[in-house]
Amino acid sequence: MNVPITKNEMKIAIIDSGVDSNHTKLKDINLSGFGIKSNGAGFSYIKDYSDEFGHGTAIAGIIHKHTKDLPNVELIIIKIFFDHLIANEEIVIEAIRWCINNDVKVINLSLGIEKNNPPQNFYNVCKLAYDHNTLIIAASNNVARSKHKTYPASFPTVFGVDSGLIKKNKDYGYVKNNPIEFLAKGTTQRVLSNNGKFNIVQGVSFACAHFSGIVVKLIEDPKLINKNIEDIKMALIENSASNIKPWINYNPSGEIQYQITNVNLDYASNELFNNSKKFLWIRNVAIFPTCEKEMSLFAKMKSTSVKVQFLIDYPRQVKSVFNEANEFLLSINRVPNASELKKIDSFVIGYYLDQLFEGNIHFGDRLLELAISNNKNIYYFDKRLERKIDELKEKYNYTAVAYCPVIQLSDYNDLKPFKFLPEVNIPVIAVVGTSSKQGKFTTQLRILGIMEKEGYKVGFLSTEPHGELFSASYSFPYGYSSTVNIGSNNWLDFLDKVLKGIQFYNTPNLILTGIQSSIIPRVYDDHACYQSVLNSLTFLQGIKPDVFICAINPDDDIEDVMNTIEATKIYTGAKFLFCVLSPFRRTDEEGYESHRKISNTEFHDFCEKIIYKLNIPVIDVMDSDNDNFILEAIENSLIELN
Amino acid sequence: MYDKHIKKKVLEIACDVLDYDMNGESKVSETQVSEIFYRIISNSLKATNFVVLIEDEYDIEFDDDEINIEFFSDLKYLCQVIKNHIG
């Protein structure tokens, strides 16, 4: 549609219900317009921009009041409401695109949609406008304490406006740390209406229009030298009135809603989910203590992203959890000597503070000090070591890296912009289990290896503290000695953004993850057990798996297995693929929990029992003969999902 | 006297807009005033008519900044605004 375009004019578009261009208060102003309608195949541009409702006329009248003394302002009316004050999102997007392509400087959108998740196409076009220096000013919603956010007002690339307790048209306020940053006059006021009339109204639509007028005046102010959006915003903030209060209290509890101002997502593309870039500093490692279950994987699995040079264990060894030694790796139970230290750049240090023997804890402390005094990097799991590490850092002027995989509130805030990334539309595979210490992580590593060998790109979200040393894209270590320091009420939101980030930046074919512990309580009077189950349920609901694999133990009752599978299905709607049986049975030797590897016969007997009773496949995930079965089961499920 | 005249006129106009019969009462209580204004602001058409009728009565035009919630809830404020216009 060709609307007369005059050079050097400040074009303001009002996307609304049209305008009564014959209104006495709008005569002799520089105004033009057109309508956009959906025609099934696309859009029709029509000449009609008359106003049947009065809303658009009111908006135009308010903006004109602010800008009437400015010589170069042109109002462009884009009518999208015809039979009622409802239009679909696609028409608004089309209207915004027209504005971008026709050098509109300011777009007034006294409208919005309320949604739980931001609409992606809408976000994209608003970002496009922002990148083209076309300013969108949009209204919040009129409903107090709405459960959902209003878009596009809540997008970071849009100036969102709400009603403030304001008497004068030209006054406005700025609300720091709020998704809707600006307040303007939305209180009782007289506005123009259609058919040459007036109306007494109130509402955020009119606040938005006032703010648009204020912004246009600011842009046309010769004192404003730089006219890009960020500079305009800074000028608006500086000139805002400090005592303006919102008409409706957003959140009676006083909780601050964090402002999403960071639209630069380059940090994520460079580092956040890029394992190889993030851990450039750790290549050759020594592992301590070898007897911990997490550490045995370094000896067993080849899928590490680091090279293990040697293993260190306590001088006084406790019963090893898995008692597996790798004959090809040097294993010592003393502090390493100088030539051994030269072979490594880093130590990987586990939970030695849990040791019952003081001597072993003392040994761990010595090793830690040795690492720091020799400026070796440290990848440690136990956050309790942080203070000791900080003291040693200062003592030895440490300059290397001491890293503990932790999720802090700052991580939660850093990921807030990820809300606007596309929804996850690739399969998510989860490994769940009937208890702890049954090889869920090992199962994930095996699946990772099998899928990657077949050419699949896998986004791996680990819940183990050492996951990132096994090429995980991201770590959420909520299990034993959890280092996830955000409340579980934020997990769903956070995990949604993590998965979006992994999908967007790593472009995998699928995402793989696994829970910690189980989702069915085994003990009914243990709060810690219940909390662990609740955490795993929350995690599961945060990742929303499409398919799952269930790890089981020879100690499990049939009911334990069945309940875990059914509960996972109920909570996630995910499809069950198969069970993997851990070959270790719990024992209690000399007062220590330990594990005994069961015989092949015991293994097969238990598999048969489950298969017979529940008619589900059960396999040994470590047996490479099962690789094809695993691959086919997953591939078939991916086909069904598509 | 002047203020009383404006006040009386405003209330007459308000009752006229609302089709409210004062039953010949010469004095209006504060509660009644509140109710009258509340009814006006509750209906945007009536509120608009109210404003237009006052403007026509005194041959004035209110500024936008003068028409706010107080205009429709505080008789004293409204009378002062009118007085400012008529000098």
Side-chain angles (χ1 to χ4, degrees):
Chain A
M1 174 83 190
N2 289 322
V3 173
I5 295 168
T6 314
K7 281 194 178 174
N8 300 322
E9 292 208 323
M10 155 76 89
K11 292 204 212 76
I12 308 165
I14 300 172
I15 301 174
D16 214 290
S17 62
V19 75
D20 175 5
S21 53
N22 294 318
H23 201 293
T24 50
K25 297 290 184 184
L26 294 177
K27 282 195 164 169
D28 304 322
I29 73 168
N30 190 357
L31 183 151
S32 58
F34 58 94
I36 302 178
K37 274 188 158 185
S38 177
N39 63 14
F43 302 100
S44 301
Y45 282 70
I46 59 177
K47 288 181 184 173
D48 172 29
Y49 60 97
S50 61
D51 186 1
E52 281 90 39
F53 301 98
H55 192 266
T57 304
I59 302 302
I62 290 171
I63 294 176
H64 172 59
K65 257 277 164 68
H66 286 275
T67 61
K68 62 185 179 186
D69 297 328
L70 301 174
N72 296 325
V73 165
E74 180 193 350
L75 287 186
I76 300 172
I77 309 299
I78 303 177
K79 178 174 174 176
I80 61 165
F81 298 126
F82 288 85
D83 302 316
H84 32 62
L85 283 173
I86 299 173
N88 72 45
E89 199 177 303
E90 295 309 315
I91 286 185
V92 181
I93 291 170
E94 176 68 14
I96 294 172
R97 280 196 201 287
W98 183 93
C99 292
I100 295 168
N101 294 334
N102 287 275
D103 300 322
V104 167
K105 182 65 187 172
V106 174
I107 301 173
N108 184 94
L109 281 173
S110 285
L111 53 88
I113 51 174
E114 273 186 58
K115 268 194 164 181
N116 197 24
N117 284 312
Q120 190 62 38
N121 287 344
F122 215 164
Y123 173 78
N124 290 342
V125 80
C126 290
K127 175 89 172 38
L128 190 65
Y130 181 93
D131 292 339
H132 279 78
N133 218 34
T134 298
L135 220 168
I136 299 177
I137 299 171
S140 176
N141 61 35
N142 280 312
V143 177
R145 296 177 205 149
S146 171
K147 274 196 296 189
H148 305 304
K149 289 211 168 80
T150 306
Y151 298 99
S154 298
F155 287 142
T157 49
V158 167
F159 287 7
V161 184
D162 205 340
S163 275
L165 292 171
I166 297 170
K167 286 186 182 172
K168 291 192 161 65
N169 291 351
K170 64 178 181 55
D171 286 347
Y172 67 96
Y174 169 68
V175 185
K176 199 177 171 186
N177 293 336
N178 204 61
I180 308 294
E181 294 178 282
F182 294 103
L183 302 172
K185 183 175 171 182
T187 48
T188 302
Q189 55 194 282
R190 178 166 62 174
V191 299
L192 309 185
S193 189
N194 57 336
N195 300 322
K197 292 181 180 171
F198 296 84
N199 205 355
I200 303 293
V201 297
Q202 58 196 13
V204 291
S205 289
F206 314 107
C208 182
H210 277 293
F211 193 69
S212 291
I214 290 164
V215 169
V216 170
K217 270 196 95 166
L218 176 78
I219 294 172
E220 288 290 89
D221 187 343
K223 283 185 237 162
L224 184 70
I225 299 163
N226 292 319
K227 301 191 189 213
N228 65 49
I229 293 177
E230 281 308 309
D231 291 310
I232 293 168
K233 186 172 175 180
M234 286 316 301
L236 283 166
I237 294 170
E238 276 168 28
N239 293 323
S240 62
S242 57
N243 57 347
I244 302 288
K245 287 182 185 158
W247 183 14
I248 295 164
N249 184 16
Y250 299 104
N251 194 327
S253 72
E255 185 185 321
I256 292 172
Q257 297 176 41
Y258 287 89
Q259 172 58 34
I260 304 169
T261 55
N262 179 14
V263 296
N264 179 8
L265 300 175
D266 286 344
Y267 164 68
S269 67
N270 288 333
E271 199 172 298
L272 198 59
F273 303 112
N274 189 327
N275 185 287
S276 55
K277 274 197 175 165
K278 211 168 148 188
F279 295 100
L280 282 171
W281 50 271
I282 181 168
R283 280 289 166 261
N284 295 290
V285 304
I287 308 289
F288 169 75
T290 324
C291 62
E292 272 179 20
K293 80 163 174 78
E294 289 85 4
M295 303 310 194
S296 66
L297 281 174
F298 286 98
K300 254 195 311 198
M301 306 296 289
K302 291 181 182 139
S303 49
T304 59
S305 49
V306 296
K307 189 167 166 50
V308 179
Q309 293 295 338
F310 54 90
L311 311 170
I312 309 172
D313 213 342
Y314 301 107
R316 181 176 175 171
Q317 273 193 9
V318 296
K319 274 285 184 192
S320 174
V321 175
F322 285 100
N323 201 26
E324 296 223 358
N326 186 321
E327 60 194 53
F328 300 110
L329 269 179
L330 173 66
S331 294
I332 57 176
N333 59 351
R334 53 169 171 77
V335 292
N337 57 37
S339 72
E340 285 158 352
L341 279 176
K342 276 186 187 162
K343 291 180 186 170
I344 60 169
D345 50 57
S346 314
F347 282 85
V348 176
I349 298 179
Y351 302 101
Y352 73 82
L353 291 179
D354 289 342
Q355 281 293 296
L356 295 175
F357 298 114
E358 188 184 0
N360 283 352
I361 297 177
H362 195 247
F363 178 78
D365 284 346
R366 264 182 69 199
L367 201 63
L368 189 66
E369 185 155 4
L370 181 79
I372 290 177
S373 60
N374 282 274
N375 217 39
K376 298 294 179 186
N377 301 316
I378 303 169
Y379 186 118
Y380 62 105
F381 307 162
D382 193 345
K383 192 106 168 77
R384 293 172 297 176
L385 292 176
E386 196 174 69
R387 186 180 285 187
K388 184 165 217 51
I389 289 172
D390 286 343
E391 285 167 6
L392 289 170
K393 274 181 179 179
E394 213 176 300
K395 183 177 171 184
Y396 292 103
N397 293 320
Y398 183 72
T399 57
V401 176
Y403 174 82
C404 179
V406 177
I407 304 292
Q408 308 270 36
L409 190 57
S410 55
D411 298 306
Y412 176 67
N413 292 333
D414 283 347
L415 254 56
K416 275 184 180 281
F418 284 30
K419 187 177 181 116
F420 306 111
L421 291 177
E423 294 295 321
V424 174
N425 59 8
I426 54 174
V428 177
I429 302 175
V431 177
V432 303
T434 51
S435 64
S436 57
K437 296 180 186 171
Q438 58 183 174
K440 288 190 280 296
F441 186 62
T442 307
T443 302
Q444 289 164 62
L445 293 181
R446 282 283 291 136
I447 292 172
L448 177 68
I450 291 166
M451 300 307 290
E452 284 183 339
K453 191 177 166 193
E454 202 57 30
Y456 288 92
K457 201 170 170 193
V458 180
F460 182 23
L461 170 62
S462 171
T463 54
E464 294 283 353
H466 52 307
E468 287 168 309
L469 295 175
F470 287 88
S471 311
S473 312
Y474 201 78
S475 184
F476 189 82
Y478 75 88
Y480 176 78
S481 194
S482 169
T483 50
V484 173
N485 295 333
I486 59 171
S488 56
N489 58 317
N490 290 322
W491 285 19
L492 299 187
D493 190 37
F494 184 75
L495 289 166
D496 175 62
K497 293 177 178 72
V498 167
L499 293 189
K500 280 176 171 174
I502 292 174
Q503 175 185 257
F504 189 78
Y505 290 104
N506 294 2
T507 60
N509 303 111
L510 55 106
I511 292 175
L512 173 67
T513 187
I515 67 168
Q516 291 285 316
S517 186
S518 63
I519 58 166
I520 302 286
R522 295 295 193 112
V523 181
Y524 290 96
D525 58 358
D526 184 337
H527 285 179
C529 174
Y530 271 118
Q531 190 58 57
S532 145
V533 161
L534 286 173
N535 287 347
S536 287
L537 279 173
T538 307
F539 179 80
L540 259 188
Q541 293 195 304
I543 54 148
K544 298 192 281 273
D546 298 288
V547 300
F548 71 97
I549 292 146
C550 185
I552 61 178
N553 299 328
D555 301 307
D556 288 335
D557 293 329
I558 299 291
E559 214 172 64
D560 297 331
V561 177
M562 190 178 69
N563 287 343
T564 301
I565 293 171
E566 289 308 311
T568 307
K569 284 181 187 172
I570 288 167
Y571 275 103
T572 65
K575 185 181 171 193
F576 166 71
L577 293 186
F578 52 86
C579 282
V580 295
L581 177 60
S582 163
F584 293 93
R585 192 184 283 277
R586 280 199 180 83
T587 64
D588 185 5
E589 294 179 17
E590 298 172 9
Y592 295 106
E593 187 192 88
S594 187
H595 290 74
R596 166 182 77 78
K597 190 168 183 182
I598 59 177
S599 66
N600 285 343
T601 309
E602 282 176 285
F603 187 92
H604 284 112
D605 284 350
F606 188 79
C607 280
E608 290 295 319
K609 186 170 93 173
I610 298 287
I611 293 168
Y612 175 72
K613 294 269 185 181
L614 298 179
N615 193 26
I616 55 178
V618 182
I619 62 166
D620 175 2
V621 77
M622 296 305 290
D623 184 351
S624 56
D625 286 345
N626 289 322
D627 284 8
N628 277 339
F629 169 82
I630 293 169
L631 179 66
E632 276 175 24
I634 292 173
E635 281 186 329
N636 288 340
S637 72
L638 299 189
I639 292 167
E640 278 179 33
L641 284 169
N642 280 332
Chain B
M1 279 297 285
Y2 190 54
D3 284 349
K4 278 186 183 170
H5 176 76
I6 294 175
K7 181 179 168 185
K8 186 168 175 266
K9 196 69 197 169
V10 163
L11 283 172
E12 274 176 17
I13 292 172
C15 292
D16 189 35
V17 165
L18 292 172
D19 285 331
Y20 190 76
D21 189 354
M22 292 284 292
N23 289 327
E25 288 177 38
S26 56
K27 272 194 175 177
V28 183
S29 70
E30 274 194 39
T31 310
Q32 281 174 306
V33 169
S34 259
E35 196 193 327
I36 288 166
F37 274 85
Y38 177 72
R39 285 188 188 188
I40 286 179
I41 193 57
S42 299
N43 183 312
S44 65
L45 188 59
K46 292 190 192 302
T48 309
N49 285 345
F50 177 65
V51 173
V52 168
L53 285 171
I54 293 175
E55 285 178 323
D56 287 346
E57 174 66 29
Y58 292 100
D59 195 22
I60 59 175
E61 186 173 332
F62 293 115
D63 296 333
D64 283 349
D65 288 351
E66 290 168 331
I67 300 177
N68 50 44
I69 194 66
E70 282 170 312
F71 188 99
F72 298 98
S73 60
D74 187 339
L75 185 56
K76 206 171 164 181
Y77 168 86
L78 176 53
C79 292
Q80 184 59 51
V81 169
I82 294 169
K83 212 168 127 184
N84 291 342
H85 277 276
I86 60 179

